[in-house]
Coordinates of all heavy atoms in Angstrom, one line a residue:
M1 N 12.2 9.0 7.2 CA 11.7 7.9 7.9 C 12.9 7.1 8.5 O 12.8 6.7 9.7 CB 10.9 6.9 7.0 CG 9.7 7.6 6.4 SD 8.4 8.1 7.6 CE 7.7 6.6 7.9
K2 N 13.9 6.9 7.7 CA 15.1 6.1 8.2 C 15.8 6.9 9.3 O 16.1 6.4 10.4 CB 16.0 5.8 7.1 CG 17.2 5.0 7.5 CD 18.0 4.6 6.3 CE 19.4 4.0 6.6 NZ 19.7 3.1 7.5
E3 N 16.0 8.2 9.0 CA 16.8 9.0 10.0 C 16.0 9.3 11.3 O 16.5 9.2 12.4 CB 17.2 10.4 9.4 CG 18.2 10.2 8.3 CD 18.5 11.5 7.6 OE1 18.0 12.6 8.0 OE2 19.1 11.5 6.5
Q4 N 14.7 9.6 11.1 CA 13.9 9.9 12.3 C 13.4 8.7 13.1 O 13.4 8.8 14.3 CB 12.7 10.7 11.8 CG 11.9 11.3 12.9 CD 10.8 12.2 12.4 OE1 10.6 12.4 11.2 NE2 10.0 12.8 13.3
F5 N 13.1 7.6 12.4 CA 12.5 6.5 13.2 C 13.3 5.2 13.1 O 13.0 4.2 13.7 CB 11.1 6.2 12.7 CG 10.2 7.4 12.9 CD1 9.8 8.2 11.8 CD2 9.7 7.7 14.1 CE1 9.0 9.2 12.0 CE2 8.8 8.8 14.3 CZ 8.5 9.5 13.2
G6 N 14.4 5.2 12.2 CA 15.1 4.0 12.0 C 14.5 3.0 11.1 O 14.8 1.8 11.1
F7 N 13.4 3.4 10.4 CA 12.7 2.6 9.5 C 13.6 2.2 8.3 O 14.2 3.0 7.6 CB 11.5 3.4 8.9 CG 10.4 2.6 8.3 CD1 9.4 2.1 9.1 CD2 10.4 2.3 7.0 CE1 8.4 1.3 8.6 CE2 9.4 1.5 6.4 CZ 8.4 1.1 7.2
H8 N 13.7 0.8 8.1 CA 14.6 0.3 7.1 C 14.2 0.8 5.7 O 13.0 0.7 5.4 CB 14.7 -1.2 7.1 CG 15.8 -1.7 6.4 ND1 15.8 -2.0 5.1 CD2 17.1 -2.0 6.8 CE1 17.0 -2.5 4.7 NE2 17.8 -2.5 5.7
I9 N 15.1 1.2 4.9 CA 14.8 1.8 3.6 C 14.1 0.9 2.6 O 13.3 1.3 1.8 CB 16.1 2.4 3.0 CG1 15.7 3.4 1.9 CG2 17.0 1.3 2.5 CD1 16.8 4.3 1.5
S10 N 14.3 -0.4 2.7 CA 13.7 -1.3 1.8 C 12.4 -1.9 2.3 O 11.8 -2.8 1.7 CB 14.6 -2.5 1.4 OG 14.9 -3.2 2.6
E11 N 12.0 -1.5 3.5 CA 10.8 -2.1 4.1 C 9.5 -1.3 3.7 O 9.5 -0.2 3.6 CB 10.9 -2.0 5.7 CG 10.1 -3.0 6.4 CD 10.6 -3.2 7.8 OE1 11.3 -2.4 8.3 OE2 10.3 -4.3 8.3
E12 N 8.5 -2.1 3.4 CA 7.2 -1.5 3.1 C 6.4 -1.1 4.3 O 6.6 -1.7 5.4 CB 6.3 -2.6 2.3 CG 6.9 -3.0 1.0 CD 6.0 -4.0 0.3 OE1 4.9 -4.3 0.7 OE2 6.5 -4.5 -0.8
L13 N 5.5 -0.2 4.2 CA 4.7 0.3 5.3 C 3.3 -0.3 5.1 O 2.6 0.0 4.1 CB 4.7 1.8 5.4 CG 3.8 2.3 6.5 CD1 4.3 1.9 7.9 CD2 3.7 3.8 6.4
H14 N 2.9 -1.1 6.1 CA 1.5 -1.7 6.1 C 0.9 -1.1 7.4 O 1.2 -1.6 8.5 CB 1.5 -3.2 6.1 CG 2.1 -3.7 4.8 ND1 1.3 -4.0 3.7 CD2 3.4 -4.1 4.4 CE1 2.1 -4.5 2.7 NE2 3.3 -4.5 3.2
T15 N 0.1 -0.1 7.2 CA -0.4 0.6 8.4 C -1.1 -0.3 9.4 O -0.9 -0.1 10.6 CB -1.4 1.7 7.9 OG1 -0.7 2.5 6.9 CG2 -1.8 2.6 9.0
K16 N -1.9 -1.2 8.9 CA -2.7 -2.1 9.8 C -1.7 -2.9 10.8 O -1.9 -2.9 12.0 CB -3.6 -3.0 9.0 CG -4.3 -4.0 9.9 CD -5.1 -5.0 9.0 CE -5.8 -6.0 9.9 NZ -6.5 -7.0 9.0
H17 N -0.7 -3.4 10.1 CA 0.3 -4.2 10.9 C 1.1 -3.3 11.8 O 1.5 -3.7 12.9 CB 1.2 -5.0 10.0 CG 0.5 -6.1 9.3 ND1 0.7 -6.4 8.0 CD2 -0.4 -7.0 9.7 CE1 -0.1 -7.4 7.6 NE2 -0.8 -7.8 8.7
L18 N 1.5 -2.1 11.3 CA 2.2 -1.2 12.1 C 1.5 -0.8 13.4 O 2.0 -0.9 14.5 CB 2.6 0.1 11.3 CG 3.2 1.2 12.1 CD1 4.7 0.9 12.5 CD2 3.2 2.5 11.3
L19 N 0.2 -0.3 13.2 CA -0.6 0.1 14.4 C -1.0 -1.0 15.3 O -1.2 -0.7 16.5 CB -1.8 0.9 13.8 CG -1.5 2.2 13.1 CD1 -2.8 2.8 12.6 CD2 -0.6 3.2 13.9
S20 N -1.1 -2.2 14.8 CA -1.5 -3.3 15.7 C -0.3 -4.1 16.2 O -0.4 -5.2 16.8 CB -2.4 -4.2 15.0 OG -1.8 -4.8 13.8
D21 N 0.9 -3.5 16.0 CA 2.2 -4.1 16.5 C 2.5 -5.5 16.1 O 2.9 -6.4 16.9 CB 2.2 -4.0 18.1 CG 3.6 -4.0 18.6 OD1 4.5 -3.5 18.0 OD2 3.8 -4.6 19.7
K22 N 2.3 -5.7 14.8 CA 2.6 -7.0 14.2 C 4.0 -7.0 13.6 O 4.6 -6.0 13.4 CB 1.5 -7.4 13.1 CG 0.1 -7.3 13.6 CD -0.2 -8.6 14.3 CE -1.7 -8.5 14.6 NZ -2.1 -9.4 15.7
D23 N 4.5 -8.2 13.3 CA 5.8 -8.3 12.6 C 5.6 -7.7 11.2 O 4.5 -7.9 10.6 CB 6.2 -9.8 12.5 CG 6.8 -10.3 13.8 OD1 7.3 -9.4 14.6 OD2 6.7 -11.5 14.1
P24 N 6.6 -7.1 10.6 CA 8.0 -7.0 11.1 C 8.2 -5.7 11.9 O 9.4 -5.4 12.2 CB 8.7 -6.8 9.7 CG 7.8 -6.1 8.9 CD 6.4 -6.6 9.3
Y25 N 7.2 -5.0 12.3 CA 7.4 -3.7 13.0 C 7.6 -3.8 14.5 O 8.1 -2.9 15.1 CB 6.1 -2.8 12.8 CG 5.8 -2.7 11.3 CD1 4.7 -3.4 10.7 CD2 6.7 -2.1 10.4 CE1 4.4 -3.3 9.4 CE2 6.4 -2.0 9.1 CZ 5.3 -2.6 8.6 OH 5.0 -2.6 7.2
R26 N 7.2 -5.0 15.1 CA 7.4 -5.2 16.5 C 8.8 -5.0 17.0 O 9.1 -4.5 18.1 CB 6.8 -6.6 16.9 CG 6.8 -6.8 18.4 CD 6.2 -8.1 18.8 NE 4.8 -8.0 18.5 CZ 4.0 -9.0 18.4 NH1 4.4 -10.2 18.4 NH2 2.7 -8.8 18.1
K27 N 9.7 -5.4 16.2 CA 11.2 -5.4 16.5 C 11.7 -4.0 16.8 O 12.7 -3.8 17.5 CB 12.0 -6.1 15.4 CG 12.0 -5.3 14.1 CD 12.8 -6.0 13.0 CE 12.6 -5.3 11.7 NZ 13.0 -6.1 10.6
Y28 N 11.0 -3.0 16.3 CA 11.5 -1.6 16.5 C 11.1 -1.1 17.9 O 11.8 -0.1 18.3 CB 10.8 -0.7 15.4 CG 11.4 -0.9 14.0 CD1 10.6 -1.6 13.0 CD2 12.6 -0.5 13.6 CE1 11.1 -1.8 11.8 CE2 13.1 -0.7 12.4 CZ 12.3 -1.3 11.4 OH 12.8 -1.6 10.2
G29 N 10.1 -1.6 18.5 CA 9.8 -1.2 19.9 C 9.2 0.2 19.9 O 9.4 0.9 20.9
W30 N 8.5 0.7 18.9 CA 8.0 2.0 18.8 C 6.8 2.1 19.8 O 6.0 1.2 19.9 CB 7.5 2.3 17.5 CG 8.6 2.5 16.5 CD1 9.7 3.2 16.6 CD2 8.6 2.1 15.1 NE1 10.5 3.2 15.5 CE2 9.8 2.5 14.5 CE3 7.7 1.3 14.3 CZ2 10.1 2.2 13.2 CZ3 8.1 1.0 13.0 CH2 9.3 1.5 12.5
F31 N 6.6 3.2 20.4 CA 5.4 3.5 21.2 C 4.3 3.9 20.3 O 4.5 4.3 19.2 CB 5.7 4.7 22.2 CG 6.8 4.3 23.2 CD1 8.0 4.9 23.1 CD2 6.5 3.4 24.2 CE1 9.0 4.7 24.0 CE2 7.5 3.1 25.1 CZ 8.8 3.7 25.1
P32 N 3.0 3.8 20.8 CA 1.8 4.1 19.9 C 2.0 5.5 19.4 O 1.6 5.7 18.2 CB 0.7 4.0 20.9 CG 1.1 3.0 21.9 CD 2.6 3.2 22.1
E33 N 2.4 6.5 20.1 CA 2.6 7.9 19.6 C 3.6 7.9 18.5 O 3.4 8.7 17.5 CB 3.0 8.8 20.8 CG 2.0 8.9 21.9 CD 2.1 7.7 22.9 OE1 3.1 7.0 22.9 OE2 1.2 7.6 23.7
Q34 N 4.7 7.2 18.6 CA 5.6 7.1 17.5 C 5.0 6.5 16.2 O 5.3 7.0 15.1 CB 6.9 6.3 17.9 CG 7.7 7.0 19.0 CD 8.8 6.1 19.5 OE1 8.5 5.0 20.0 NE2 10.0 6.5 19.4
K35 N 4.3 5.5 16.4 CA 3.6 4.8 15.2 C 2.7 5.8 14.5 O 2.6 5.9 13.3 CB 2.8 3.6 15.7 CG 3.7 2.5 16.2 CD 2.9 1.4 16.6 CE 3.7 0.4 17.4 NZ 2.9 -0.7 18.0
Q36 N 2.0 6.6 15.3 CA 1.1 7.6 14.7 C 1.9 8.7 14.0 O 1.5 9.1 12.9 CB 0.2 8.3 15.8 CG -0.8 7.4 16.4 CD -1.5 8.0 17.6 OE1 -1.3 9.1 18.0 NE2 -2.4 7.2 18.2
E37 N 3.0 9.1 14.5 CA 3.9 10.0 13.9 C 4.4 9.5 12.6 O 4.6 10.2 11.6 CB 5.0 10.5 14.8 CG 4.6 11.4 15.9 CD 4.0 12.7 15.4 OE1 4.5 13.3 14.4 OE2 3.0 13.1 16.0
I38 N 4.7 8.2 12.6 CA 5.2 7.5 11.3 C 4.2 7.6 10.3 O 4.4 7.9 9.1 CB 5.6 6.1 11.6 CG1 6.9 6.1 12.5 CG2 5.9 5.3 10.3 CD1 7.3 4.7 13.0
V39 N 2.9 7.2 10.6 CA 1.8 7.3 9.6 C 1.6 8.7 9.1 O 1.4 8.9 7.9 CB 0.5 6.7 10.3 CG1 -0.7 6.9 9.3 CG2 0.7 5.2 10.5
K40 N 1.7 9.7 10.0 CA 1.5 11.1 9.6 C 2.6 11.5 8.7 O 2.4 12.1 7.6 CB 1.4 12.0 10.8 CG 0.1 11.9 11.5 CD -0.2 13.1 12.5 CE 0.8 13.4 13.5 NZ 0.4 14.3 14.5
A41 N 3.8 11.2 9.0 CA 5.0 11.6 8.2 C 4.9 10.9 6.8 O 5.2 11.6 5.8 CB 6.3 11.2 8.9
F42 N 4.6 9.7 6.8 CA 4.4 8.9 5.5 C 3.3 9.6 4.7 O 3.5 9.8 3.5 CB 4.1 7.4 5.8 CG 4.3 6.6 4.6 CD1 5.5 6.2 4.1 CD2 3.1 6.1 3.9 CE1 5.6 5.4 3.0 CE2 3.2 5.3 2.8 CZ 4.5 4.9 2.4
T43 N 2.2 9.9 5.3 CA 1.1 10.5 4.5 C 1.5 11.9 4.0 O 1.2 12.2 2.8 CB -0.1 10.6 5.5 OG1 -0.5 9.4 6.0 CG2 -1.3 11.2 4.7
I44 N 2.2 12.7 4.8 CA 2.6 14.0 4.3 C 3.6 13.8 3.2 O 3.6 14.6 2.2 CB 3.2 14.8 5.5 CG1 2.1 15.2 6.4 CG2 4.0 16.0 5.0 CD1 2.6 15.7 7.8
C45 N 4.5 12.9 3.3 CA 5.5 12.6 2.3 C 4.8 12.3 0.9 O 5.1 12.8 -0.1 CB 6.4 11.5 2.7 SG 7.7 11.1 1.4
I46 N 3.8 11.4 1.0 CA 3.1 11.0 -0.2 C 2.3 12.2 -0.8 O 2.3 12.4 -2.0 CB 2.1 9.8 0.1 CG1 3.0 8.5 0.3 CG2 1.2 9.6 -1.1 CD1 2.1 7.4 0.8
S47 N 1.7 13.0 0.1 CA 0.9 14.1 -0.4 C 1.8 15.2 -1.1 O 1.3 16.0 -1.9 CB 0.1 14.8 0.7 OG 1.0 15.5 1.6
N48 N 3.1 15.2 -0.8 CA 4.0 16.2 -1.4 C 4.6 15.7 -2.8 O 5.3 16.5 -3.4 CB 5.1 16.6 -0.5 CG 4.6 17.4 0.7 OD1 3.6 18.2 0.5 ND2 5.2 17.3 1.8
L49 N 4.3 14.5 -3.1 CA 4.8 14.0 -4.4 C 4.1 14.5 -5.6 O 2.8 14.7 -5.5 CB 4.8 12.4 -4.4 CG 5.7 11.7 -3.4 CD1 5.5 10.2 -3.5 CD2 7.2 12.0 -3.6
D50 N 4.7 14.7 -6.7 CA 4.1 15.0 -7.9 C 3.7 13.7 -8.6 O 4.4 13.3 -9.6 CB 4.9 15.9 -8.8 CG 4.2 16.4 -10.1 OD1 3.0 16.3 -10.1 OD2 4.9 16.7 -11.0
A51 N 2.7 13.0 -8.1 CA 2.4 11.7 -8.7 C 0.9 11.4 -8.6 O 0.2 12.0 -7.8 CB 3.2 10.6 -7.9
K52 N 0.5 10.5 -9.4 CA -0.9 10.0 -9.3 C -0.8 8.5 -8.9 O 0.1 7.8 -9.3 CB -1.5 10.1 -10.7 CG -1.8 11.6 -11.1 CD -2.6 11.6 -12.4 CE -2.9 13.1 -12.7 NZ -3.7 13.2 -13.9
I53 N -1.8 8.1 -8.2 CA -1.9 6.7 -7.7 C -3.1 6.1 -8.5 O -4.1 6.6 -8.5 CB -2.1 6.7 -6.2 CG1 -0.8 7.3 -5.5 CG2 -2.3 5.2 -5.7 CD1 -1.0 7.4 -4.0
V54 N -2.8 4.9 -9.0 CA -3.8 4.2 -9.8 C -3.9 2.8 -9.1 O -2.9 2.2 -8.8 CB -3.4 4.0 -11.2 CG1 -4.4 3.2 -12.0 CG2 -3.2 5.4 -11.9
N55 N -5.1 2.4 -8.8 CA -5.3 1.1 -8.2 C -6.5 0.4 -8.8 O -7.3 1.0 -9.4 CB -5.4 1.1 -6.7 CG -6.6 1.9 -6.2 OD1 -7.6 2.1 -6.9 ND2 -6.5 2.4 -5.0
V56 N -6.5 -0.9 -8.7 CA -7.6 -1.7 -9.2 C -8.0 -2.7 -8.0 O -7.1 -3.3 -7.4 CB -7.2 -2.5 -10.4 CG1 -8.3 -3.5 -10.8 CG2 -6.9 -1.6 -11.6
I57 N -9.3 -2.8 -7.8 CA -9.7 -3.8 -6.8 C -10.6 -4.8 -7.5 O -11.6 -4.4 -8.2 CB -10.5 -3.1 -5.7 CG1 -9.6 -2.1 -4.9 CG2 -11.1 -4.1 -4.7 CD1 -10.3 -1.2 -3.9
I58 N -10.3 -6.0 -7.4 CA -11.2 -7.1 -7.9 C -11.6 -7.9 -6.7 O -10.8 -8.5 -6.0 CB -10.4 -8.0 -8.9 CG1 -10.0 -7.1 -10.1 CG2 -11.3 -9.2 -9.3 CD1 -9.2 -7.9 -11.1
D59 N -12.9 -7.8 -6.4 CA -13.5 -8.5 -5.3 C -13.8 -10.0 -5.7 O -14.7 -10.3 -6.3 CB -14.8 -7.9 -4.8 CG -15.3 -8.5 -3.5 OD1 -14.8 -9.5 -3.0 OD2 -16.3 -7.9 -3.0
K60 N -12.9 -10.9 -5.3 CA -13.0 -12.3 -5.7 C -14.2 -13.0 -5.1 O -14.6 -14.1 -5.6 CB -11.7 -13.0 -5.3 CG -10.5 -12.5 -6.1 CD -9.2 -13.3 -5.8 CE -8.7 -12.9 -4.4 NZ -7.4 -13.6 -4.2
T61 N -14.8 -12.4 -4.1 CA -16.0 -13.1 -3.5 C -17.2 -13.0 -4.5 O -18.1 -13.7 -4.2 CB -16.3 -12.5 -2.2 OG1 -16.7 -11.1 -2.3 CG2 -15.2 -12.6 -1.2
H62 N -17.1 -12.2 -5.5 CA -18.3 -12.0 -6.4 C -18.2 -12.9 -7.6 O -19.1 -12.9 -8.4 CB -18.4 -10.6 -6.9 CG -18.9 -9.6 -5.8 ND1 -18.2 -9.4 -4.7 CD2 -20.0 -9.0 -5.7 CE1 -18.9 -8.5 -3.9 NE2 -20.0 -8.2 -4.5
F63 N -17.1 -13.7 -7.7 CA -16.9 -14.5 -8.9 C -17.2 -16.0 -8.6 O -16.6 -16.5 -7.6 CB -15.5 -14.4 -9.4 CG -15.2 -13.1 -10.0 CD1 -14.5 -12.1 -9.3 CD2 -15.7 -12.7 -11.3 CE1 -14.3 -10.8 -9.8 CE2 -15.4 -11.5 -11.8 CZ -14.8 -10.5 -11.1
R64 N -18.0 -16.6 -9.4 CA -18.3 -18.0 -9.2 C -17.5 -18.8 -10.1 O -17.2 -20.0 -9.9 CB -19.8 -18.3 -9.5 CG -20.8 -17.4 -8.6 CD -21.4 -18.3 -7.6 NE -22.5 -17.5 -6.9 CZ -22.3 -16.8 -5.8 NH1 -21.1 -16.7 -5.3 NH2 -23.3 -16.2 -5.2
N65 N -17.0 -18.2 -11.2 CA -16.2 -18.9 -12.2 C -14.8 -19.0 -11.8 O -14.1 -18.1 -11.5 CB -16.3 -18.1 -13.5 CG -15.5 -18.7 -14.6 OD1 -14.9 -19.8 -14.5 ND2 -15.6 -18.1 -15.8
Q66 N -14.4 -20.3 -11.6 CA -13.0 -20.6 -11.1 C -11.9 -20.3 -12.2 O -10.8 -20.2 -11.9 CB -12.9 -22.0 -10.7 CG -13.8 -22.4 -9.5 CD -13.3 -21.6 -8.2 OE1 -12.2 -21.4 -8.0 NE2 -14.3 -21.3 -7.4
N67 N -12.4 -20.1 -13.4 CA -11.5 -19.8 -14.5 C -11.2 -18.3 -14.7 O -10.5 -18.0 -15.6 CB -12.0 -20.4 -15.8 CG -12.1 -21.9 -15.8 OD1 -11.2 -22.5 -15.2 ND2 -13.1 -22.5 -16.3
Y68 N -11.7 -17.5 -13.8 CA -11.5 -16.0 -13.9 C -10.0 -15.7 -13.5 O -9.6 -16.1 -12.4 CB -12.4 -15.3 -13.0 CG -12.3 -13.8 -13.2 CD1 -12.9 -13.1 -14.3 CD2 -11.6 -13.0 -12.3 CE1 -12.8 -11.8 -14.4 CE2 -11.4 -11.6 -12.4 CZ -12.1 -11.0 -13.5 OH -12.0 -9.7 -13.7
H69 N -9.2 -15.1 -14.4 CA -7.8 -14.9 -14.1 C -7.7 -13.5 -13.4 O -7.6 -12.5 -14.1 CB -7.0 -14.9 -15.5 CG -7.2 -16.2 -16.2 ND1 -6.5 -17.3 -15.8 CD2 -8.0 -16.5 -17.3 CE1 -6.8 -18.3 -16.7 NE2 -7.7 -17.8 -17.5
V70 N -7.6 -13.6 -12.1 CA -7.6 -12.4 -11.3 C -6.4 -11.5 -11.6 O -6.6 -10.3 -11.9 CB -7.7 -12.7 -9.8 CG1 -7.6 -11.5 -9.0 CG2 -9.0 -13.4 -9.5
L71 N -5.2 -12.0 -11.5 CA -4.0 -11.2 -11.7 C -3.9 -10.6 -13.1 O -3.5 -9.5 -13.3 CB -2.8 -12.0 -11.3 CG -2.6 -12.4 -9.9 CD1 -1.4 -13.2 -9.6 CD2 -2.6 -11.2 -9.0
E72 N -4.2 -11.5 -14.1 CA -4.2 -11.0 -15.5 C -5.1 -9.9 -15.7 O -4.8 -8.9 -16.4 CB -4.5 -12.2 -16.4 CG -4.4 -11.9 -17.9 CD -4.7 -13.1 -18.7 OE1 -4.2 -14.2 -18.4 OE2 -5.5 -12.9 -19.7
N73 N -6.4 -10.0 -15.2 CA -7.4 -9.0 -15.4 C -7.0 -7.7 -14.6 O -7.2 -6.6 -15.1 CB -8.7 -9.5 -15.1 CG -9.3 -10.4 -16.2 OD1 -9.2 -10.1 -17.3 ND2 -9.8 -11.6 -15.8
A74 N -6.5 -7.9 -13.4 CA -6.1 -6.7 -12.6 C -5.0 -5.9 -13.4 O -5.0 -4.7 -13.4 CB -5.6 -7.2 -11.3
L75 N -4.0 -6.6 -13.9 CA -3.0 -5.9 -14.7 C -3.6 -5.2 -15.9 O -3.3 -4.1 -16.2 CB -1.9 -6.9 -15.1 CG -0.8 -6.3 -16.0 CD1 0.0 -5.3 -15.2 CD2 0.2 -7.4 -16.4
K76 N -4.5 -5.9 -16.6 CA -5.1 -5.3 -17.8 C -5.9 -4.1 -17.4 O -5.8 -3.0 -18.1 CB -6.1 -6.4 -18.5 CG -6.8 -5.8 -19.7 CD -7.7 -6.9 -20.3 CE -8.8 -7.3 -19.5 NZ -9.7 -8.2 -20.1
Y77 N -6.7 -4.1 -16.4 CA -7.5 -3.0 -15.9 C -6.6 -1.8 -15.4 O -6.9 -0.7 -15.7 CB -8.5 -3.4 -14.8 CG -9.5 -4.4 -15.2 CD1 -9.9 -5.3 -14.3 CD2 -9.9 -4.5 -16.5 CE1 -10.9 -6.3 -14.7 CE2 -10.9 -5.4 -16.9 CZ -11.3 -6.3 -16.0 OH -12.3 -7.3 -16.3
N78 N -5.5 -2.2 -14.8 CA -4.6 -1.2 -14.3 C -3.9 -0.4 -15.5 O -3.8 0.8 -15.5 CB -3.5 -1.8 -13.5 CG -3.0 -0.9 -12.4 OD1 -3.1 0.3 -12.4 ND2 -2.3 -1.5 -11.4
I79 N -3.5 -1.1 -16.5 CA -2.9 -0.5 -17.7 C -4.0 0.3 -18.4 O -3.7 1.4 -18.8 CB -2.4 -1.6 -18.7 CG1 -1.1 -2.3 -18.0 CG2 -2.0 -1.0 -20.0 CD1 -0.6 -3.5 -18.8
Q80 N -5.2 -0.1 -18.5 CA -6.3 0.7 -19.1 C -6.5 2.0 -18.3 O -6.6 3.1 -19.0 CB -7.6 -0.1 -19.1 CG -7.6 -1.2 -20.1 CD -8.8 -2.1 -20.1 OE1 -9.6 -2.0 -19.1 NE2 -9.1 -2.9 -21.0
R81 N -6.5 1.9 -17.0 CA -6.6 3.2 -16.2 C -5.5 4.1 -16.4 O -5.7 5.3 -16.5 CB -6.8 2.8 -14.7 CG -8.1 2.2 -14.5 CD -8.4 2.2 -13.0 NE -9.7 1.6 -12.8 CZ -10.2 1.4 -11.6 NH1 -9.6 1.8 -10.5 NH2 -11.4 0.9 -11.4
I82 N -4.3 3.6 -16.5 CA -3.1 4.5 -16.7 C -3.2 5.1 -18.1 O -3.0 6.3 -18.3 CB -1.8 3.7 -16.6 CG1 -1.6 3.3 -15.1 CG2 -0.6 4.5 -17.1 CD1 -0.5 2.3 -14.9
E83 N -3.6 4.3 -19.1 CA -3.8 4.9 -20.5 C -4.9 6.0 -20.5 O -4.7 7.0 -21.1 CB -4.1 3.8 -21.5 CG -2.9 2.9 -21.8 CD -3.3 1.8 -22.8 OE1 -4.5 1.5 -23.0 OE2 -2.4 1.2 -23.4
N84 N -6.0 5.7 -19.9 CA -7.1 6.6 -19.8 C -6.7 7.9 -19.1 O -7.2 9.0 -19.5 CB -8.4 6.0 -19.2 CG -8.9 4.9 -20.0 OD1 -8.7 4.8 -21.2 ND2 -9.7 4.0 -19.4
D85 N -6.0 7.8 -18.1 CA -5.6 8.9 -17.3 C -4.5 9.8 -17.9 O -4.3 10.9 -17.5 CB -5.2 8.5 -15.8 CG -5.2 9.6 -14.9 OD1 -6.2 10.3 -14.8 OD2 -4.2 9.8 -14.2
S86 N -3.7 9.2 -18.7 CA -2.5 9.8 -19.2 C -2.8 10.8 -20.4 O -2.0 11.6 -20.8 CB -1.5 8.8 -19.7 OG -1.9 8.2 -20.9
N87 N -4.0 10.7 -20.9 CA -4.4 11.6 -22.0 C -3.4 11.6 -23.2 O -3.1 12.6 -23.8 CB -4.6 13.0 -21.5 CG -5.7 13.2 -20.5 OD1 -6.7 12.5 -20.7 ND2 -5.5 14.0 -19.5
G88 N -2.9 10.4 -23.5 CA -2.0 10.2 -24.6 C -0.6 10.8 -24.4 O 0.2 10.9 -25.3
Q89 N -0.2 11.1 -23.2 CA 1.1 11.7 -22.9 C 2.1 10.5 -22.5 O 1.8 9.7 -21.7 CB 1.1 12.7 -21.8 CG 0.3 13.9 -22.1 CD 0.3 14.9 -20.9 OE1 0.6 14.6 -19.8 NE2 -0.3 16.1 -21.2

């Protein structure tokens, strides 16, 4: 990504912002076709990794209780998913 597109090594990729030409990607001056190539290259790179992706979504719009600890529970659920998926390894 760095060699082919000049993408800074410490920069995160946020596809929505990249494709809609928002900061911090605007400074690169990529054409729409280049942005599509970046997304494809990134997707191919991820698909070739020997890794599993675990995520947790907590929809805060469903909670009426202001005392619900979103970050604490998200971390707890994430750890539970990793434990369940690891099969004790």
Side-chain angles (χ1 to χ4, degrees):
M1 301 293 284
K2 181 176 170 44
E3 291 174 11
Q4 189 174 0
F5 300 104
F7 199 88
H8 196 274
I9 196 161
S10 66
E11 202 158 23
E12 294 181 9
L13 179 62
H14 296 270
T15 307
K16 178 181 174 183
H17 291 138
L18 173 71
L19 296 177
S20 60
D21 201 31
K22 304 281 186 200
D23 285 331
Y25 310 108
R26 183 175 290 158
K27 66 184 175 195
Y28 291 103
W30 291 316
F31 295 109
E33 296 81 16
Q34 289 173 302
K35 294 176 193 176
Q36 291 173 0
E37 286 301 316
I38 290 169
V39 172
K40 285 198 304 192
F42 192 76
T43 305
I44 290 169
C45 178
I46 290 173
S47 71
N48 289 327
L49 294 175
D50 183 22
K52 291 185 178 182
I53 297 173
V54 177
N55 64 21
V56 171
I57 297 172
I58 297 179
D59 187 354
K60 294 185 281 188
T61 62
H62 287 66
F63 292 100
R64 305 252 188 269
N65 182 356
Q66 296 296 324
N67 295 323
Y68 185 80
H69 302 284
V70 175
L71 294 177
E72 182 180 316
N73 285 312
L75 178 61
K76 177 175 71 175
Y77 299 147
N78 213 341
I79 291 170
Q80 286 174 348
R81 286 193 180 181
I82 291 170
E83 286 178 344
N84 292 341
D85 195 54
S86 70
N87 296 323
Q89 296 178 349

